[in-house]
């Protein structure tokens, strides 16, 4: 246990100095190897084993597909369609923000990417309509949490690899929780707009809406492509990522004619850099997870649970508390890789379905993106809105309460996660 304590101290010291999480984990791991005179090949072996996974190949494809669709003008068409449909509603740009994040969730699988994309598009629009900068930033940060819960989801892929669980089941299981979050945020925004008497824009004519719908139908069909491909066994998760890239190129180049081949090197470089960041974190986190297992942390936890005679619900509440605290300091990828091997054996011993457990883990860790000190989503949207961080944090508190309420709902009602995969015969 001393080794784990030293590793944690080094890791948090480096994170306090704003060292990137992947580098911090790597330096902490090397320090442990040197201090305890461990064979160097153990570190290398565990890092390589951590990324030696076919499903992880889906990650660069998801990232690249999102970049191509944004550059091909698909996102702006969805925004225009939603704005036209919702124009008669007070403060319609806020609900458009939530709807756009639901759509983007079916492309990128990354909350941070969605927060950046929708923030740049919609925060200025929301401010013009009368929303405060803090509220616009907080809503965008919160709505972007839907991304990693709906497929394709990078955090669910990583969890599936670690837990050896069907990623397709995880993807399908995320639909109902994500839609509950979207509905709750939409109702909250509508209530805010009424309380502050925000203006109505006026809905466009049916001819304009029809034209915008025809322009958006290719993008709107993407979630259907994912579900049919996964449910029908036509594609594996990795193949779905590759299909999305081809589909994005086809729509952007052939249908909308906005995709430019000269921009491909930049898109590939950006996707490569984002993927390398994730893979470095996965590799270094795998060594830390190995240390926790070798030192018997999962076994000690299971012994404590047996002695305490906890119910599955009580166990999940403890996991929620641990993960909410972990999300304050760790990104979702290292937190998943380090914590899941500790708690998953006990969860399965208590009869908790690993798909249900996976969604609880992912929703938990996403909440960490909208509260300090990590709060990466609110850092991004605050920089776009150019307002004091205190204002964004204050406005994010009701959104944080909504997310925790949904987390508790899926914790106590597993069928919200398991019913749809079961209905589809998965």
């Amino acid at each position: 246990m001393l080794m784990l304590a030293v590793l944690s101290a080094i890791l948090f010291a480096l994170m306090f100095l704003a060292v990137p999480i992947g580098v911090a984990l790597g330096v902490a791991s090397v320090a442990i190897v040197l201090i305890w005179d461990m064979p160097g090949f153990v570190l290398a072996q565990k890092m390589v084993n951590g990324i030696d996974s076919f499903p992880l190949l889906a990650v660069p494809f998801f990232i690249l597909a999102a970049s191509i669709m944004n550059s091909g003008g698909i996102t702006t068409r969805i925004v225009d369609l939603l704005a036209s449909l919702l124009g008669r509603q007070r403060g319609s740009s806020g609900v458009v923000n939530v709807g756009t994040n639901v759509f983007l969730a079916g492309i990128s699988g990354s909350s941070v990417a969605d927060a950046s994309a929708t923030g740049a598009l919609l925060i200025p629009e929301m401010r013009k309509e009368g929303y405060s900068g803090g509220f616009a930033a907080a809503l965008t940060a919160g709505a972007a949490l839907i991304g990693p819960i709906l497929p394709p989801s990078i955090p669910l892929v990583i969890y599936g690899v670690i837990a050896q669980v069907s990623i397709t089941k995880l993807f399908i299981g995320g639909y109902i929780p994500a839609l509950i979050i979207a509905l709750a945020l939409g109702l909250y925004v509508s209530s805010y707009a009424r309380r502050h008497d925000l203006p109505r824009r006026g809905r466009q004519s049916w001819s304009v809406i029809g034209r915008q719908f025809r322009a958006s139908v290719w993008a709107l069909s993407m979630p259907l492509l994912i579900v049919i491909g996964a449910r029908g066994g036509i594609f594996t998760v990795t193949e779905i990522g590759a299909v999305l890239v081809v589909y994005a190129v086809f729509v952007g180049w052939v249908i909308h004619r906005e995709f430019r081949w000269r921009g491909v090197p930049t898109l590939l470089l950006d996707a490569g850099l984002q993927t390398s960041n994730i893979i470095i974190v996965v590799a270094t986190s795998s060594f830390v997870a190995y240390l926790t297992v070798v030192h018997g942390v999962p076994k000690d936890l299971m012994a404590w649970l047996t002695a305490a005679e906890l119910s599955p619900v009580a166990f999940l509440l403890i996991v929620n508390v641990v993960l909410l605290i972990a999300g304050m300091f760790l990104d979702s990828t290292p937190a998943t890789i380090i914590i899941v091997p500790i708690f998953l054996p006990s969860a399965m011993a208590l009869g908790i379905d690993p798909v249900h457990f996976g969604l609880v883990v992912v929703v938990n860790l996403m909440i960490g993106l909208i509260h300090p000190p990590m709060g990466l989503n609110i850092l991004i949207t605050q920089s776009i809105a150019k307002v004091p961080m205190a204002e964004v944090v204050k406005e994010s508190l009701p959104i944080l309460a909504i997310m925790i309420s949904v987390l508790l709902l899926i914790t106590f009602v597993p069928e919200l996660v398991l019913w749809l995969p079961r209905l589809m015969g998965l």
Side-chain angles (χ1 to χ4, degrees):
M1 296 302 290
L2 176 61
M3 181 184 293
L4 294 177
V6 171
L7 185 144
S8 299
I10 295 172
L11 176 60
F12 282 111
L14 292 171
M15 288 172 59
F16 181 77
L17 296 173
V19 176
I21 183 64
V23 176
L25 283 164
V27 171
S29 299
V30 170
I32 290 299
V33 168
L34 295 175
I35 292 170
W36 266 267
D37 197 25
M38 296 174 64
F41 73 84
V42 174
L43 173 60
Q45 183 186 60
K46 297 305 172 185
M47 289 178 66
V48 171
N49 288 346
I51 60 176
D52 184 17
S53 170
F54 183 70
L56 281 180
L57 290 175
V59 172
F61 287 124
F62 291 157
I63 294 171
L64 182 58
S67 299
I68 292 171
M69 297 200 92
N70 287 332
S71 67
I74 293 170
T75 304
T76 54
R77 284 172 169 79
I78 293 294
V79 172
D80 291 342
L81 174 62
L82 291 173
S84 296
L85 286 169
L86 299 169
R88 290 183 182 173
Q89 182 173 331
R90 289 190 182 278
S92 59
S93 60
V95 182
V96 169
N97 191 322
V98 176
T100 302
N101 273 285
V102 172
F103 162 72
L104 286 179
I107 299 177
S108 70
S110 167
S111 181
V112 172
D114 292 352
S116 301
T118 55
L121 280 171
L122 291 169
I123 287 178
E125 198 65 28
M126 288 180 67
R127 299 194 72 173
K128 286 180 191 175
E129 206 168 69
Y131 288 98
S132 70
F135 183 87
L139 177 67
T140 304
L145 300 185
I146 298 169
I149 302 170
L150 277 175
S153 163
I154 293 172
L156 286 177
V157 169
I158 292 171
Y159 172 84
V161 170
I162 296 167
Q164 296 295 298
V165 178
S166 167
I167 296 173
T168 301
K169 283 186 180 180
L170 291 166
F171 278 5
I172 302 302
Y175 273 104
I176 292 178
L179 294 177
I180 292 173
I181 292 170
L183 178 61
L185 289 176
L187 291 173
Y188 173 60
V189 174
S190 298
S191 172
Y192 180 97
R194 286 195 302 272
R195 290 199 314 271
H196 292 80
D197 197 27
L198 298 184
R200 294 182 174 92
R201 295 193 207 181
R203 197 179 68 181
Q204 295 286 354
S205 67
W206 284 111
S207 61
V208 172
I209 293 173
R211 186 167 62 250
Q212 291 175 337
F213 177 78
R214 288 191 295 274
S216 307
V217 70
W218 290 93
L220 293 170
S221 62
M222 177 169 285
L224 190 62
L225 175 69
I226 295 173
V227 172
I228 292 174
R231 171 64 183 87
I234 303 171
F235 313 121
T236 65
V237 171
T238 304
E239 290 164 348
I240 286 174
V243 168
L244 289 179
V245 171
V246 174
Y247 186 85
V249 171
F250 172 77
V251 174
W253 184 42
V254 177
I255 305 299
H256 296 158
R257 300 184 180 180
E258 294 185 20
F259 176 74
R260 299 290 179 265
W261 288 101
R262 63 175 175 270
V264 169
T266 302
L267 295 175
L268 290 174
L269 177 62
D270 182 59
L273 290 173
Q274 291 187 57
T275 303
S276 63
N277 287 336
I278 293 171
I279 294 302
I280 289 171
V281 172
V282 171
T284 51
S285 300
S286 299
F287 177 71
V288 177
Y290 160 77
L291 290 179
T292 63
V293 173
V294 166
H295 284 77
V297 176
K299 193 178 296 183
D300 292 343
L301 177 66
M302 192 173 295
W304 178 79
L305 289 172
T306 302
E309 298 182 349
L310 291 178
S311 68
V313 171
F315 170 77
L316 285 173
L317 289 175
I318 291 172
V319 171
N320 282 337
V321 172
V322 171
L323 289 173
L324 286 171
I325 294 171
M328 294 173 64
F329 303 100
L330 289 175
D331 184 57
S332 63
T333 300
T336 301
I337 295 171
I338 294 169
I339 295 173
V340 167
I342 295 174
F343 284 100
L344 184 60
S346 299
M348 296 186 70
L350 289 169
I352 297 169
D353 190 288
V355 173
H356 174 224
F357 188 71
L359 265 298
V360 170
V361 168
V362 169
V363 173
N364 245 305
L365 294 176
M366 289 306 103
I367 293 174
L369 294 172
I370 60 168
H371 66 75
M374 284 287 285
L376 190 52
N377 277 15
I378 58 173
L379 288 174
I380 291 169
T381 57
Q382 180 264 339
S383 66
I384 295 171
K386 295 181 174 61
V387 293
M389 177 57 76
E391 183 180 339
V392 182
V393 171
K394 178 184 174 183
E395 295 289 359
S396 70
L397 293 178
I399 295 169
L400 185 63
I402 289 171
M403 290 298 301
I404 292 176
S405 298
V406 174
L407 171 63
L408 292 174
L409 185 62
I410 66 171
T411 298
F412 291 122
V413 189
E415 284 302 304
L416 291 173
V417 173
L418 302 175
W419 175 76
L420 194 55
R422 192 178 297 126
L423 179 68
M424 298 181 69
L426 295 172

